[in-house]
Amino acid sequence: DIQLLLADVQLPDMNGAVLVGMAKKRLPNLRVIYLTGLSIAEIPIDAPALQKPFGSYELMAAIALAEPRSSEGAVQDYFQ
């Protein structure tokens, strides 16, 4: 089973929140970490996020913080 999704905030054909919403319909307990090249302070998020580039320690810390959450929320609203 997939337990963790690393989702980029900006994707070519959709945004990360849409991807997360689609994934959580099938896997409601999926943990999520958003990735972004933008400043994290500029993006309203409802899950752990990492600003690219990041290292293994930052990834491990984000994984520890990730917990099942609703995919509906600020990130999706921000990009609509």
Side-chain angles (χ1 to χ4, degrees):
D1 288 342
I2 299 170
Q3 297 180 14
L4 177 66
L5 174 62
L6 302 177
D8 203 317
V9 172
Q10 294 181 320
L11 299 168
D13 295 325
M14 70 176 80
N15 65 56
V18 172
L19 174 64
V20 168
M22 292 168 51
K24 284 196 169 255
K25 284 182 182 177
R26 301 183 108 197
L27 302 164
N29 294 324
L30 184 65
R31 297 184 301 158
V32 175
I33 298 172
Y34 286 100
L35 310 176
T36 182
L38 304 172
S39 169
I40 291 175
E42 296 175 21
I43 302 170
I45 53 174
D46 60 353
L50 291 171
Q51 185 173 357
K52 299 182 276 183
F54 55 87
S56 58
Y57 290 109
E58 291 89 358
L59 178 59
M60 290 170 44
I63 291 171
L65 291 174
E67 61 185 60
R69 295 175 185 231
S70 168
S71 63
E72 304 301 320
V75 175
Q76 189 167 354
D77 295 341
Y78 180 80
F79 289 101
Q80 290 184 347

